[in-house]
């Protein structure tokens, strides 16, 4: 099994003291806080604790990636009924509370990290690092810059969830008076200004790019990308303007709105322009350091894919580019990733989305297979099967060559001897029953999903998937009555093809992406589209970078072709905005992006309030399986755009008020 050589400093440091309370020691006659940072090794442990607070988006029950409409977890009551299970999904079901907020980051409730504690940790580090011994000036400057960046980043993660927040600038003294303890929330623009100021101070002193022994540590490349993301959020309609939602949500100190509800066209354009400057700087420094869109680097595909590759080389090469982009560790597309993945933990999304090795594939001696690291819990929603494009690079309801009305009709794929078979070799199984919806789709559809009639690459195997009762990935009560993809659609995007089961040593670990180059290029496309009077070649060029890697026609070709029902939709600002957001939802699917994109554009309450659908998982034939039904109700209202504050916080600090609707 492939060995991943990135057991990072964070894992080691946290094992030493990651969850300790050493930064909260009350000074006494034997221990002073400055002694905690006396030496370089001591300061290193302090820096590690700052990283400890990064979100656990790789963990099934703590991730925010399953906010939105892409995932649905195991549906039996023992899982769905637990408040500590599938927390993001519970939020989408309307089960958020004020008593113990799910994934609450203000107080660290119900699976959320305590970001104010994280900021306090940064403040303490910044206060004492100047006096640490046996450090070079370059090291001190870099570590100081890292702490300053994270101070800004944790403020941003709070702002994402809560809107107006309290800015925590300095360490609170032990003898502080009430006025300095019970602070007011700051206005949205003031928080953004503070975050950007800190990032601008930090970025010049960071290493340009981390070395191989420091993978996962923030550097100038990663920090520049995150700064671009922050400015993208600031310019987006939810955070700039938004009189529609928050005109009456006001600061009690001056009765002015917390949100910049009066942003005019000039101010809005200024914010987009600042975001463009930032994303251009981020792309420039990334590309200068070898970052770019991922291409599968090996000269050939896996051995068991060679027969397919010989028949269908162009599609199989593109398929591998798309299949491996997330799971190939520390590849050139990754700008910054979650590196503190616990190698002894089986609760990752990579485990809960992995399929089991079916008996009919055959288990070789020593190739253990169990539910331990192949839960097959987290399924794709049916909506994702419709979201991907056709092979012509158009939505399925916009492509004249795709019979949308018969998309659920059962068909049989070409047999191995059929002249049409080479075009589907390695993508769809020969002579198998499936439906029209699963044919003639773009390659990201097949690389990311596990579908009936397709393949799921895991366990070093090319697993033919059917998803019906009693088949691979399907409901099988004689083996396990609860572990199956409840919609009949799996997710293979987050599973490395070499990951096996039974022991953690057999799972290929990789850093879950926080930001990658595809995201930056699509950010730039969106920003340019908002600045310009109408989209032009400069906008198209950025989105086409992603589309060409995916093997689909350029956006201006697809949307002006005879295949297209709404011709030239891409030539209007509103149309191009929709196309860019659709492209982001496909390229960054299952990576936690779509939810926040819909929040930024104030579309979440309409996008996420429809039921989650899926196939009849108890069906054992095409006629009984391909019956679409409701799997789970969802509810997301305008109230849910902002997280609720924990009631304990309101009782402690009378100067803050609850978010609207809670």
């Amino acid at each position: 099994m492939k060995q991943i050589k990135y057991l990072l400093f964070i894992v080691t440091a946290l094992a030493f003291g990651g969850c300790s309370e050493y930064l909260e020691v009350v000074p006494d006659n034997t221990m002073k806080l400055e002694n905690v940072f006396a030496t370089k090794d001591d300061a290193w442990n302090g820096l590690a604790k700052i990283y400890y607070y990064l979100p656990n988006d790789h963990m099934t029950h703590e991730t925010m990636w399953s906010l939105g409409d892409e995932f649905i977890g195991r549906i039996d009551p023992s899982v769905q009924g637990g408040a500590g299970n599938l927390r993001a999904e519970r939020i989408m079901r309307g089960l958020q509370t004020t008593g113990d907020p799910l994934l609450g980051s203000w107080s660290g409730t119900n699976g959320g990290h305590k970001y104010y504690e994280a900021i306090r940790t940064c403040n303490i580090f910044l206060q004492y690092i100047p006096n640490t011994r046996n450090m070079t000036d370059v090291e001190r400057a870099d570590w100081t810059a890292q702490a300053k960046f994270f101070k800004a980043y944790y403020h941003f993660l709070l702002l994402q969830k809560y809107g107006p927040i309290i800015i925590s600038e300095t360490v609170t003294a032990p003898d502080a008076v009430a006025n300095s303890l019970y602070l007011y929330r700051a206005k949205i623009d003031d928080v953004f200004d503070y975050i950007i100021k800190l990032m601008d101070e930090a970025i010049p002193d960071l290493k340009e790019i981390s070395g191989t022994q420091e993978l996962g540590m923030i550097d100038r490349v990663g920090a520049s990308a995150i700064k671009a993301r922050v400015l993208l959020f600031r310019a987006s309609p939810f955070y700039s303007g938004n009189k529609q939602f928050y005109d009456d949500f006001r600061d009690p100190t001056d009765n002015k709105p917390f949100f910049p509800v009066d942003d005019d066209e000039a101010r809005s354009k200024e914010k987009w322009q600042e975001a463009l400057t930032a994303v251009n700087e981020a792309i420039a420094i990334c590309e200068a350091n070898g970052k770019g869109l991922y291409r599968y680097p090996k000269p050939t595909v896996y051995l068991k894919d060679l027969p397919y590759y010989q028949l269908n080389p162009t599609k199989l090469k593109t398929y591998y580019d798309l299949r491996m982009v997330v799971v190939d560790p520390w590849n050139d597309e990754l700008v910054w990733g979650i590196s503190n993945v616990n190698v002894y933990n089986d609760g990752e999304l990579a485990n809960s989305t992995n399929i089991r090795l079916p008996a009919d594939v055959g288990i070789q001696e020593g190739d253990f297979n169990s539910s331990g690291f192949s839960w097959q819990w987290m399924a794709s929603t049916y909506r994702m099967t419709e979201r991907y494009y056709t092979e012509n690079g158009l939505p399925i309801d916009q492509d004249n060559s795709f019979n949308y009305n018969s998309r659920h009709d059962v068909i049989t794929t070409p047999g191995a001897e059929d002249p049409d078979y080479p075009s589907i070799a390695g993508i769809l199984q020969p002579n198998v029953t499936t439906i029209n919806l699963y044919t003639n789709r773009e390659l990201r559809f097949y690389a990311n999903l596990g579908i009936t009639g397709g393949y799921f690459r895991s366990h070093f195997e090319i697993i033919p998937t059917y998803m019906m009762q009693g088949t691979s990935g399907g409901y099988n009560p004689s083996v396990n009555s609860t572990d199956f993809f409840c919609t009949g659609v799996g997710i293979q995007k987050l599973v490395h093809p070499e990951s096996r089961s039974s022991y953690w040593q057999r799972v290929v670990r990789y850093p879950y992406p926080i930001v990658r180059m595809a995201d930056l290029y699509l950010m730039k496309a969106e920003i340019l589209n908002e600045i310009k009077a109408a989209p032009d070649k400069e906008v198209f060029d950025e989105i086409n970078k992603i589309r060409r890697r995916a093997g689909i026609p350029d956006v201006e070709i697809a949307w002006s072709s005879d295949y297209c029902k709404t011709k030239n939709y891409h030539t209007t600002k509103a149309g191009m905005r929709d196309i860019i957001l659709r492209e982001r939802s496909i390229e960054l699917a299952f990576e936690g992006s779509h939810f926040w994109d819909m929040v930024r554009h104030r579309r979440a309450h309409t996008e996420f309030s429809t039921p989650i659908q899926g196939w009849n998982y108890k069906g054992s034939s095409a006629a009984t399986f391909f019956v679409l039904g409701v799997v789970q109700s969802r509810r997301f209202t305008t109230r849910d755009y902002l997280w609720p504050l924990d009631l304990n916080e309101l009782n402690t600090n009378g100067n803050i008020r609850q978010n609207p609707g809670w």
Side-chain angles (χ1 to χ4, degrees):
M1 177 178 177
K2 181 177 178 182
Q3 298 297 315
I4 304 303
K5 298 179 180 178
Y6 71 99
L7 191 56
L8 298 174
F9 84 103
I10 296 172
V11 175
T12 305
L14 290 180
F16 178 82
C19 298
S20 72
E21 301 291 332
Y22 71 87
L23 286 180
E24 299 173 10
V25 173
V26 178
D28 57 25
N29 292 330
T30 61
M31 183 67 171
K32 293 184 178 180
L33 190 55
E34 54 263 34
N35 293 337
V36 175
F37 295 91
T39 69
K40 178 179 172 180
D41 286 346
D42 298 328
W44 181 260
N45 290 330
L47 186 62
K49 184 164 186 180
I50 290 173
Y51 280 81
Y52 161 74
Y53 293 98
L54 278 169
N56 288 335
D57 282 333
H58 60 296
M59 296 301 292
T60 299
H61 296 301
E62 298 175 32
T63 185
M64 289 192 294
W65 285 13
S66 53
L67 292 168
D69 61 356
E70 299 163 307
F71 290 90
I72 180 169
R74 199 173 99 173
I75 60 172
D76 65 286
S78 66
V79 172
Q80 290 289 336
N85 295 333
L86 303 172
R87 294 178 177 94
E89 186 175 304
R90 291 177 65 82
I91 290 173
M92 303 312 297
R93 293 166 57 199
L95 300 178
Q96 182 63 284
T97 69
T98 56
D100 187 24
L102 294 157
L103 299 175
S105 299
W106 193 293
S107 308
T109 54
N110 214 326
H113 279 178
K114 300 178 180 180
Y115 288 153
Y116 277 114
E117 182 178 288
I119 293 167
R120 185 167 70 249
T121 302
C122 295
N123 284 335
I124 293 172
F125 185 93
L126 291 168
Q127 180 174 330
Y128 289 101
I129 190 67
N131 300 321
T132 299
R133 302 190 301 271
N134 69 312
M135 292 186 72
T136 67
D137 290 343
V138 172
E139 288 172 331
R140 195 187 315 276
D142 177 40
W143 293 13
T144 298
Q146 289 186 55
K148 193 171 288 187
F149 167 82
F150 274 104
K151 180 177 176 179
Y153 187 53
Y154 290 134
H155 274 92
F156 172 64
L157 294 180
L158 282 165
L159 181 151
Q160 263 192 315
K161 288 185 175 180
Y162 299 100
I165 61 170
I166 293 171
I167 294 174
S168 179
E169 291 197 69
T170 58
V171 178
T172 303
D175 58 350
V177 297
N179 286 345
S180 62
L181 289 174
Y182 304 120
L183 303 177
Y184 290 90
R185 298 166 79 174
K187 295 179 180 65
I188 290 288
D189 269 352
D190 292 337
V191 180
F192 273 117
D193 289 344
Y194 181 70
I195 292 167
I196 295 303
K197 172 179 172 291
L198 283 177
M199 288 189 174
D200 284 342
E201 291 174 5
I203 287 172
D205 288 329
L206 292 168
K207 289 182 180 178
E208 186 159 325
I209 190 165
S210 297
T212 56
Q213 300 303 312
E214 302 160 335
L215 297 174
M217 294 179 71
I218 194 64
D219 51 27
R220 214 178 305 163
V221 166
S224 298
I226 295 299
K227 177 187 171 183
R229 176 178 288 170
V230 171
L231 286 167
L232 173 73
F233 270 70
R234 186 180 70 161
S236 297
F238 182 79
Y239 298 96
S240 177
N242 210 353
K243 200 165 191 172
Q244 174 187 354
F245 285 9
Y246 298 123
D247 188 36
D248 58 351
F249 184 31
R250 295 178 176 262
D251 184 342
T253 65
D254 59 10
N255 201 36
K256 293 182 179 179
F258 277 118
F259 281 74
V261 297
D262 295 322
D263 274 3
D264 57 16
E265 184 178 348
R267 177 57 179 148
S268 177
K269 189 169 184 177
E270 180 184 359
K271 289 181 177 180
W272 285 113
Q273 188 62 54
E274 289 173 357
L276 178 61
T277 299
V279 79
N280 280 335
E281 290 174 353
I283 290 172
I285 192 171
C286 286
E287 291 180 341
N289 283 277
K291 300 294 182 183
L293 293 181
Y294 174 83
R295 300 288 182 173
Y296 184 64
K298 297 182 180 179
T300 187
V301 296
Y302 285 113
L303 182 63
K304 293 189 177 182
D305 261 326
L306 279 177
Y308 303 132
Y309 182 75
Q310 291 165 356
L311 290 171
N312 197 6
T314 301
K315 283 187 178 179
L316 259 292
K317 180 64 176 72
T318 300
Y319 176 93
Y320 267 69
D321 293 342
L322 302 169
R323 177 68 179 84
M324 302 296 290
V325 61
V326 168
V327 299
D328 192 355
W330 303 109
N331 65 68
D332 289 341
E333 183 159 340
L334 184 67
V335 177
W336 188 34
I338 302 171
S339 56
N340 54 336
V341 175
N342 187 340
V343 296
Y344 295 99
N345 202 319
D346 69 349
E348 290 180 52
L349 283 171
N351 304 133
S352 58
T353 56
N354 198 4
I355 196 172
R356 295 204 195 120
L357 189 62
D360 57 359
V361 170
I363 301 175
Q364 298 177 4
E365 184 177 354
D367 189 5
F368 299 104
N369 182 50
S370 75
S371 62
F373 292 87
S374 301
W375 300 5
Q376 51 192 41
W377 271 26
M378 298 296 283
S380 166
T381 62
Y382 168 79
R383 183 171 298 169
M384 293 304 295
T385 68
E386 293 204 349
R387 184 166 290 160
Y388 288 87
Y389 293 137
T390 67
E391 61 187 358
N392 295 317
L394 292 166
I396 60 174
D397 60 351
Q398 285 292 320
D399 191 333
N400 286 316
S401 71
F402 189 90
N403 195 331
Y404 182 79
N405 292 329
S406 67
R407 65 192 184 280
H408 294 166
D409 287 0
V410 175
I411 57 99
T412 301
T413 62
E417 305 302 321
D418 193 295
D420 292 333
Y421 174 67
S423 68
I424 67 165
I427 307 299
L428 288 170
Q429 301 167 46
N431 198 32
V432 70
T433 300
T434 186
I435 54 173
N436 274 328
L437 182 66
Y438 291 173
T439 63
N440 303 313
R441 304 299 295 278
E442 61 157 311
L443 287 171
R444 286 177 294 192
F445 177 89
Y446 303 106
N448 293 354
L449 302 179
I451 58 168
T452 298
Y455 298 100
F456 196 121
R457 287 163 171 84
S458 184
H459 308 276
F460 268 121
E461 298 287 347
I462 315 300
I463 303 172
T465 46
Y466 302 95
M467 301 298 180
M468 301 173 191
Q469 181 174 179
T471 66
S472 308
Y475 175 65
N476 195 339
S478 64
V479 176
N480 191 309
S481 62
T482 56
D483 291 359
F484 57 91
F485 300 123
C486 65
T487 58
V489 186
I491 304 167
Q492 60 178 321
K493 183 178 185 178
L494 305 178
V495 179
H496 195 288
E498 297 171 27
S499 277
R500 305 196 188 186
S501 294
S502 189
Y503 296 108
W504 66 265
Q505 296 97 325
R506 295 175 174 270
V507 177
V508 179
R509 307 289 177 175
Y510 59 88
Y512 290 65
I514 297 173
V515 59
R516 55 187 178 94
M517 289 300 294
D519 194 355
L520 286 176
Y521 293 134
L522 290 172
M523 282 187 209
K524 184 174 179 179
E526 179 182 341
I527 294 164
L528 285 168
N529 186 59
E530 297 300 335
I531 289 173
K532 294 174 179 288
D536 59 12
K537 184 177 183 299
E538 194 177 8
V539 178
F540 303 151
D541 284 348
E542 296 304 315
I543 193 172
N544 286 339
K545 292 174 183 177
I546 311 305
R547 293 172 69 91
R548 289 170 186 169
R549 198 257 302 269
I552 55 176
D554 288 355
V555 65
E556 64 271 38
I557 294 174
W559 285 90
S560 61
S561 71
D562 290 337
Y563 292 120
C564 185
K565 292 180 180 177
T566 309
K567 267 194 174 184
N568 299 320
Y569 191 54
H570 67 294
T571 61
T572 67
K573 183 191 289 281
M576 194 63 202
R577 182 186 299 128
D578 289 344
I579 292 169
I580 292 168
L581 290 175
R582 179 70 168 258
E583 194 73 46
R584 288 182 60 84
S585 72
I586 293 171
E587 175 62 32
L588 304 173
F590 308 111
E591 297 177 48
S593 172
H594 183 57
F595 173 81
W596 293 110
D597 285 345
M598 294 299 96
V599 167
R600 290 192 297 110
H601 284 272
R602 297 185 303 201
R603 301 183 184 189
H605 60 295
T606 54
E607 186 81 1
F608 301 139
S609 289
T610 55
I612 297 301
Q613 295 179 299
W615 304 120
N616 174 27
Y617 65 83
K618 291 187 177 180
S620 56
S621 67
T624 57
F625 176 79
F626 287 116
V627 179
L628 197 60
V630 172
V631 179
Q632 187 182 84
S633 296
R634 293 284 175 96
R635 186 187 71 180
F636 194 93
T637 68
T638 54
R639 177 191 73 168
D640 297 301
Y641 279 85
L642 297 180
W643 258 249
L645 276 67
D646 185 358
L647 290 178
N648 290 325
E649 292 290 343
L650 302 178
N651 293 332
T652 300
N653 183 0
N655 290 334
I656 57 176
R657 57 175 290 195
Q658 185 60 276
N659 274 332
W662 295 101

